[in-house]
Amino acid sequence: MKNPLFKFFFSGIIVTFMLLFNACSALNPNPSINSSLTPPKDIRVLSDINTNAFEWTSVQDPEVAGYYVYRKKAQEQNFSKIATLDSRFITHYADNKLDSNTEYIYQFASFDKQKNVSPFSETISAKTHSISAVSYVEAISNYPRKVKIIWNPHQDTRVSGYIVERRDKNGNWQEISKIQNRLLVEYLDTKLDDGTTYEYQIYAYNANGSRSLPSKSVQATTKPKPVQITNFKATNNIPKQINLSWNLHKNPEVTSYKILRSSFISSFYTTLATLPSNTDSYQDLIGKDGEQYSYKIVATDKDGIDSLETGPISGSTLAVPNAPNITYARIENGSVVLKWNPTDNRATEYIVYKKDSLFFGETLRYNKVLTTEFIDKEVKAGEKYYYRVSAIDKNGLESKTSQEVVLSLPK
């Protein structure tokens, strides 16, 4: 009966040989193994940010012509040959331009003049260093539409500069600036929204492009908009103008007010006026009766930041009074008698219009009729007369004329 320990040991040798053969096969399609060759031993490693450097004891076997160096990342399956050292007297090798903060696995092998390869050395694990994080970062709030980020210069003189990242609305970090100077430690993030909080982090990087660990994240909030203007009002009872009024803004940084206007049938607002901050009213001179407009008002601070709009509110010029309604029109004792009902309590007097021909006659105007009755004695027998009445208010605004009545004095 075979010894179980011998069987296990023999199986281990076979597995080891198969692993070596498979590794060599991955590196060389037709490897020739020279088992008498000795691979480098006592291999020591010294690591930096982008470099793993090795030192070993020189192999004294004169058959050895040099060494092969193989490498893979820790998570990879197969090794790749990365260097051929053409002398057995070489005892140092530096593997450069590596990723920082990354673990690599290495093996060495000797080769002879016919390029036959020795068994592999033991695996050597080496992890590159990381650049330490920037030690101090601050984001400064309350700047108008911008955030200022400052940090300490990195103490490692191999650092070439910095990468500034900002977190987007989806929570992802986005690079917004690359600063190519180790001693330049300020960045101004501009064109931001008002009253909005932003989050930042800083990376240092070296000449190989390797990044440091991220700094701690910092937040800052841009300057908010001024609060809305209060008590914004517009008149509707003044002839040919609309008066606007509002409460003065309490923020001492507010420098002006901007009034926007739109016609009643349009939603497009244009700037009507820009006024100093000590102003609390404005007269919009219209020049027409019964005109209606919509208004908004905005406060602007010293940095040009507008408040949210107040409004819209509507205002109008005073409309003309309503026309009177003629209720009585007759010939009495050779005179025309007219009576009407006032339809607007704003009427203070009336005007009577008289015409003696429908198309070409002269129109006479009788002003300052103070009652709701008018008697016209200046009429001729056999003539037709046309009458209309309008109302006048205390502002002198005249209504449209009433319906027309026609009267004639018989011959």
Side-chain angles (χ1 to χ4, degrees):
M1 181 176 180
K2 292 184 179 180
N3 190 326
L5 183 61
F6 173 79
K7 182 177 181 181
F8 176 81
F9 179 74
F10 183 72
S11 299
I13 292 176
I14 292 174
V15 170
T16 302
F17 180 78
M18 289 178 67
L19 289 173
L20 289 173
F21 181 81
N22 289 337
C24 289
S25 297
L27 302 170
N28 183 350
N30 299 296
S32 296
I33 304 299
N34 185 347
S35 58
S36 66
L37 293 179
T38 303
K41 296 180 179 179
D42 192 21
I43 301 171
R44 298 168 296 279
V45 62
L46 185 64
S47 297
D48 203 341
I49 295 170
N50 301 110
T51 303
N52 288 322
F54 299 90
E55 181 184 49
W56 59 89
T57 303
S58 176
V59 177
Q60 300 301 313
D61 186 351
E63 288 188 41
V64 172
Y67 311 104
Y68 292 138
V69 183
Y70 304 94
R71 182 192 69 204
K72 71 181 184 76
K73 287 185 177 180
Q75 68 273 19
E76 294 175 345
Q77 295 296 320
N78 298 321
F79 284 90
S80 297
K81 184 168 69 174
I82 60 169
T84 299
L85 310 179
D86 290 325
S87 173
R88 70 182 175 89
F89 297 101
I90 294 174
T91 57
H92 293 82
Y93 173 70
D95 187 15
N96 300 309
K97 298 182 179 180
L98 300 174
D99 296 336
S100 62
N101 194 34
T102 302
E103 184 179 3
Y104 294 90
I105 309 297
Y106 295 86
Q107 285 189 308
F108 287 71
S110 303
F111 64 86
D112 58 20
K113 294 179 181 180
Q114 290 76 38
K115 303 300 182 182
N116 298 315
V117 180
S118 74
F120 283 118
S121 69
E122 294 183 356
T123 57
I124 303 103
S125 174
K127 186 175 182 179
T128 52
H129 296 175
S130 59
I131 305 173
S132 61
V134 175
S135 61
Y136 169 81
V137 182
E138 181 181 358
I140 302 175
S141 294
N142 210 40
Y143 279 18
R145 299 188 179 121
K146 56 185 69 71
V147 168
K148 182 176 180 178
I149 306 107
I150 57 176
W151 58 92
N152 281 346
H154 205 285
Q155 296 303 305
D156 191 335
T157 56
R158 293 170 296 179
V159 165
S160 302
Y162 307 94
I163 292 170
V164 183
E165 290 188 342
R166 182 179 67 208
R167 196 187 292 274
D168 64 20
K169 294 180 180 179
N170 297 320
N172 301 315
W173 289 105
Q174 301 291 333
E175 180 179 325
I176 59 172
S177 181
K178 189 171 186 178
I179 298 171
Q180 299 179 347
N181 190 314
R182 181 178 70 91
L183 300 180
L184 183 55
V185 290
E186 174 185 289
Y187 177 70
L188 205 60
D189 190 15
T190 60
K191 299 180 180 179
L192 304 176
D193 295 331
D194 298 319
T196 304
T197 299
Y198 295 89
E199 185 176 4
Y200 302 88
Q201 65 182 11
I202 308 293
Y203 287 93
Y205 68 89
N206 63 10
N208 292 318
S210 292
R211 292 188 177 194
S212 69
L213 298 172
S215 70
K216 71 171 185 179
S217 65
V218 291
Q219 294 183 342
T221 303
T222 53
K223 184 179 180 181
K225 292 178 179 292
V227 298
Q228 289 178 285
I229 294 172
T230 58
N231 202 30
F232 186 38
K233 296 179 179 179
T235 60
N236 57 13
N237 59 354
I238 300 176
K240 295 179 173 57
Q241 72 181 43
I242 300 172
N243 290 347
L244 305 174
S245 62
W246 57 89
N247 290 342
L248 290 176
H249 208 286
K250 295 181 180 180
N251 187 342
E253 293 192 353
V254 166
T255 59
S256 63
Y257 304 110
K258 184 164 53 180
I259 297 175
L260 309 174
R261 185 181 75 178
S262 168
S263 66
F264 189 68
I265 60 174
S266 170
S267 59
F268 180 72
Y269 285 81
T270 58
T271 300
L272 176 64
T274 300
L275 307 170
S277 61
N278 60 353
T279 308
D280 61 0
S281 63
Y282 178 75
Q283 291 182 339
D284 187 12
L285 302 178
I286 307 298
K288 294 182 180 180
D289 303 317
E291 290 289 301
Q292 188 170 3
Y293 290 91
S294 292
Y295 298 90
K296 297 178 180 180
I297 190 169
V298 172
T300 304
D301 72 7
K302 65 180 183 179
D303 294 308
I305 299 177
D306 290 338
S307 70
L308 295 175
E309 296 173 342
T310 298
I313 61 171
S314 74
S316 61
T317 58
L318 184 64
V320 297
N322 295 324
N325 181 28
I326 296 176
T327 59
Y328 187 90
R330 293 185 182 179
I331 303 294
E332 296 180 357
N333 301 321
S335 298
V336 170
V337 178
L338 298 177
K339 296 180 182 181
W340 57 86
N341 286 335
T343 59
D344 196 316
N345 58 13
R346 287 166 46 198
T348 58
E349 58 184 86
Y350 302 93
I351 298 173
V352 177
Y353 293 92
K354 172 187 174 183
K355 192 175 178 182
D356 59 7
S357 172
L358 181 59
F359 297 106
F360 303 107
E362 180 185 6
T363 299
L364 299 177
R365 173 178 170 134
Y366 298 90
N367 296 322
K368 294 189 178 296
V369 178
L370 300 180
T371 66
T372 58
E373 182 178 352
F374 177 76
I375 299 174
D376 184 11
K377 297 180 180 180
E378 299 178 0
V379 292
K380 296 178 181 180
E383 295 286 337
K384 279 187 177 182
Y385 296 95
Y386 302 84
Y387 295 91
R388 293 174 289 122
V389 181
S390 66
I392 303 292
D393 73 359
K394 66 179 181 179
N395 302 294
L397 296 183
E398 182 181 0
S399 73
K400 293 181 179 180
T401 58
S402 67
Q403 77 275 25
E404 190 173 63
V405 295
V406 182
L407 294 170
S408 62
L409 185 65
K411 290 184 179 181

